[in-house]
Amino acid sequence: MSDLLWDKPESLRTLLCELVSWQSRSRTEGEINFANNLKAKLTELQYFKKNSNYVNLYEAGQGRKVVTALYKSRESVETIVLISHFDTVGTEEFGNLESLAYQPEELTKALLDHKIELPLDARVDLESGDYLFGRGTMDMKMGLALHMSLIEKASIEKWPINLLLVTVPDEEVDSAGMRAAIPKLAQMQVEHGLDYKLFLNSEPSFSQKPGDTKYYIYSGSIGKIMPAVLFYGKETHVGEPMSGLTANFMASFLTQQMEWNPFFREFDLGESTPLPVSLQQKDLKINYTTQTPYRVEALYNVFLMKRNATEIMNIFHQVATESANACNSAYMKICEREGIEPIGKVNVLHYEELEYYAKGRLGPEVVASLKDEVIANPSWDDREKSIRIADILMTNCQELGPTMILLFAPPYYPAVNASDNPAVIEAVDLVKKIGSEKFDLDVHQIHYFNGISDLSYVSYMDDKQEWDSYERNTPVWGETYSIPFADMQKLNAPVLNIGPFGKDAHKRTERLHMESAFHQVPVMLESLVRSMFSLKEIVE
């Protein structure tokens, strides 16, 4: 055991702090550099010094890389895929301590001089000495450190099992890293003759409500999809308001119906999805003028359990149609009151209908050119580009207005669940037993991880007809955004998430519970891996 670098709590803590110190905020140079740093760190292991071809980097766009490290046993084709992400959110909220955000030991000490600034629960945790503070300690570089420790031990003790570590960038934004990794996983499955038996993530255990300190493991991950709409009205001068129809007026009807709408809520295995809310609503006018706003966009967050994109679009269409009818009714009453003729009736169209119409009216080449013009704008992200493509097509087909154009804006996370899988049932029972017997810890199972995770991109079960709806109604599909649905279907293995307990992800007070991270979870993960492959149970 003396040859192991990362098998003790102290060495795990040191490894974590080193990983955190490689700051890797999404969309920064740090995120780009992290992959090379990690590859160099992994090749410190004797196994990868001898098998350097088993540590690889793969392109994930914008200079970012996916890192894979394969421990390949000569005795088995059965494989556990260890999934993590290494990007983090920003650190602006750390204020005058921002320079220490990626230095956990120093930050935790420094916070003692600033504890009056902290919420009471964070202050109590700080003074207890049980937590390590810092950006990425909880979400989720500790998960990566645990996977590195597992693969090291497997390589030295020559476990009859394959472990494939996969860690990705960009989970916090669009999951470009995981979407890029999926085709590589499908390729490696064939190239190395691997039989994937489990996709094991180690995202942290999240509290279910403020003050909740229960420890959770997850046998699935909630899905997320973003229905969006371009409201296209009729412009006019503010001095002649009844000569037009503002998009704000139109949007008010749909947004009221979308916010907290129970039609979108799902129930499964005693759990339910959070209700939908609007994530963004804004006028597309760049500058202030006295022209009324006639183009407005809105993005709505919808969580999923069993439903797919087609089902969500059908519900979205129903809600939008009812909202358009209500809008038309209210508008007609106003026109009657003012004694004027209405300018038109608000319609509802899907983006695919708009594009089909535009190609017929303008020609496919013109439509392609208009889309390219939007795609080429470097200052717009995929969400903005999606709306702007619909907008530029509508601007050239204004006879379709006033209308609500329904579409999808990235990202899309399909839901995944393995709660009824026999191997997962056994794994959950084992982890509960280990927690109880070794640590007097109650382990609670949740069927859908509600923090959204990259597990959404494995074990996809719907047929092509279902994902076609997403492709056809996502304006940037195949240009700046895509999902490898076909390769996802090839990765047909159950999922499980077991990670360390922590609090306040994405907050200044993000912190990791050290007993959970350095003592409890390492034992539970190793016991799980050993049990799945009929290895001798871990002996303390």
Side-chain angles (χ1 to χ4, degrees):
M1 288 293 184
S2 58
D3 293 333
L4 290 168
L5 299 177
W6 308 316
D7 66 318
K8 297 289 191 294
E10 299 77 13
S11 56
L12 267 177
R13 181 168 176 165
T14 300
L15 174 62
L16 169 67
C17 290
E18 183 175 4
L19 296 177
V20 171
S21 73
W22 305 339
Q23 74 83 8
S24 51
R25 285 172 292 131
S26 302
R27 308 290 171 89
T28 67
E29 283 296 314
E31 185 184 29
I32 293 172
N33 296 334
F34 189 95
N36 290 321
N37 292 337
L38 181 61
K39 182 179 180 180
K41 191 70 180 175
L42 287 165
T43 53
E44 292 179 12
L45 300 181
Q46 289 300 318
Y47 180 81
F48 292 122
K49 286 181 180 178
K50 297 177 182 177
N51 300 278
S52 59
N53 57 317
Y54 284 174
V55 182
N56 290 288
L57 304 180
Y58 298 105
E59 288 292 336
Q62 301 179 17
R64 301 164 301 188
K65 301 287 196 305
V66 171
V67 184
T68 66
L70 172 65
Y71 161 68
K72 191 174 183 181
S73 169
R74 297 179 180 179
E75 303 176 37
S76 178
V77 297
E78 295 183 320
T79 306
I80 294 179
V81 183
L82 306 171
I83 294 174
S84 64
H85 70 85
F86 56 76
D87 65 315
T88 72
V89 297
T91 56
E92 295 85 356
E93 70 275 15
F94 282 80
N96 59 356
L97 293 179
E98 187 173 12
S99 63
L100 299 179
Y102 291 103
Q103 306 295 328
E105 303 287 6
E106 292 83 352
L107 175 66
T108 303
K109 292 177 183 176
L111 283 172
L112 288 169
D113 295 326
H114 295 265
K115 58 186 178 182
I116 193 172
E117 304 169 12
L118 304 181
L120 178 59
D121 62 329
R123 194 186 318 165
V124 169
D125 287 345
L126 174 67
E127 292 173 338
S128 73
D130 295 335
Y131 287 82
L132 195 61
F133 287 68
R135 175 62 78 238
T137 53
M138 172 195 180
D139 186 15
M140 68 162 293
K141 287 180 178 174
M142 189 62 229
L144 171 57
L146 289 166
H147 293 174
M148 293 169 69
S149 176
L150 271 177
I151 208 166
E152 177 193 26
K153 183 169 282 192
S155 68
I156 288 180
E157 297 182 357
K158 296 182 171 54
W159 292 358
I161 168 185
N162 301 306
L163 292 182
L164 175 55
L165 182 151
V166 180
T167 189
V168 301
D170 192 59
E171 190 268 356
E172 299 290 4
V173 184
D174 288 320
S175 281
M178 193 61 187
R179 289 185 288 112
I182 292 302
K184 300 302 179 185
L185 285 174
Q187 178 184 333
M188 293 177 73
Q189 191 175 22
V190 175
E191 180 182 335
H192 294 284
L194 305 177
D195 182 8
Y196 295 150
K197 290 297 185 182
L198 179 68
F199 292 96
L200 179 61
N201 203 341
S202 288
E203 288 273 12
S205 173
F206 281 84
S207 300
Q208 292 296 292
K209 57 184 178 181
D212 180 15
T213 58
K214 293 179 182 177
Y215 178 72
Y216 300 101
I217 60 175
Y218 309 85
S219 49
S221 192
I222 202 168
K224 167 194 165 77
I225 197 166
M226 198 141 61
V229 60
L230 169 68
F231 301 94
Y232 204 98
K234 176 64 176 175
E235 76 281 7
T236 186
H237 189 283
V238 71
E240 297 181 295
M242 296 308 299
S243 295
L245 179 62
T246 71
N248 288 338
F249 181 77
M250 297 162 57
S252 67
F253 288 88
L254 181 54
T255 294
Q256 283 189 71
Q257 289 301 311
M258 285 298 297
E259 291 267 2
W260 311 315
N261 191 326
F263 289 167
F264 290 93
R265 182 162 50 193
E266 290 188 67
F267 297 90
D268 189 38
L269 300 170
E271 298 172 13
S272 68
T273 57
L275 293 169
V277 293
S278 56
L279 284 178
Q280 186 179 81
Q281 184 167 307
K282 67 178 183 178
D283 177 8
L284 296 189
K285 257 195 333 185
I286 296 175
N287 299 312
Y288 168 81
T289 69
T290 55
Q291 181 190 61
T292 56
Y294 67 100
R295 296 141 58 234
V296 164
E297 67 163 279
L299 309 179
Y300 305 107
N301 188 87
V302 173
F303 286 111
L304 313 169
M305 284 180 172
K306 295 293 189 181
R307 289 172 178 154
N308 55 41
T310 298
E311 292 170 301
I312 294 300
M313 182 56 81
N314 289 341
I315 299 172
F316 191 38
H317 178 88
Q318 177 185 344
V319 174
T321 300
E322 293 173 355
S323 300
N325 290 339
C327 177
N328 287 326
S329 177
Y331 175 58
M332 291 301 176
K333 289 180 181 178
I334 293 171
C335 290
E336 290 174 5
R337 185 192 70 197
E338 299 299 320
I340 63 167
E341 288 294 318
I343 65 163
K345 188 177 181 180
V346 176
N347 301 304
V348 175
L349 290 176
H350 293 193
Y351 170 77
E352 62 180 314
E353 296 174 302
L354 169 61
E355 185 175 295
Y356 179 82
Y357 178 89
K359 286 179 177 178
R361 185 182 180 294
L362 307 172
E365 296 81 7
V366 173
V367 169
S369 177
L370 291 172
K371 292 177 70 173
D372 288 345
E373 179 184 333
V374 174
I375 294 296
N377 190 318
S379 64
W380 290 340
D381 65 14
D382 286 340
R383 286 151 291 283
E384 189 74 18
K385 288 177 180 178
S386 297
I387 293 292
R388 294 288 179 171
I389 288 173
D391 180 51
I392 201 169
L393 295 184
M394 269 301 301
T395 299
N396 285 273
C397 302
Q398 293 186 36
E399 64 273 16
L400 294 176
T403 190
M404 301 178 183
I405 303 297
L406 310 185
L407 54 102
F408 288 122
Y412 173 30
Y413 292 81
V416 60
N417 190 269
S419 296
D420 61 352
N421 182 276
V424 169
I425 293 172
E426 289 184 12
V428 169
D429 287 343
L430 173 68
V431 172
K432 287 182 176 181
K433 179 180 178 182
I434 295 293
S436 175
E437 294 183 356
K438 293 186 180 295
F439 304 109
D440 194 26
L441 174 70
D442 288 330
V443 176
H444 302 268
Q445 179 186 5
I446 287 183
H447 301 286
Y448 290 92
F449 177 72
N450 59 1
I452 306 174
S453 80
D454 281 333
L455 288 177
S456 284
Y457 298 107
V458 298
S459 302
Y460 185 77
M461 303 306 293
D462 281 328
D463 59 28
K464 191 174 190 306
Q465 183 178 358
E466 304 303 339
W467 78 62
D468 268 353
S469 174
Y470 189 80
E471 294 179 3
R472 294 193 306 268
N473 288 291
T474 302
V476 294
W477 183 266
E479 299 289 346
T480 58
Y481 186 81
S482 61
I483 298 173
F485 288 113
D487 283 326
M488 285 158 55
Q489 287 188 315
K490 298 174 184 176
L491 308 179
N492 188 19
V495 301
L496 192 59
N497 191 104
I498 302 175
F501 179 75
K503 296 181 181 179
D504 289 355
H506 297 192
K507 295 183 180 182
R508 184 191 190 197
T509 48
E510 177 181 351
R511 57 199 184 276
L512 179 74
H513 189 263
M514 290 187 284
E515 176 69 17
S516 174
F518 304 136
H519 296 271
Q520 297 170 353
V521 178
V523 173
M524 289 189 282
L525 286 177
E526 183 176 342
S527 298
L528 169 61
V529 173
R530 288 179 178 273
S531 71
M532 286 193 68
F533 292 88
S534 303
L535 298 176
K536 182 181 178 182
E537 280 197 34
I538 187 170
V539 177
E540 289 187 339

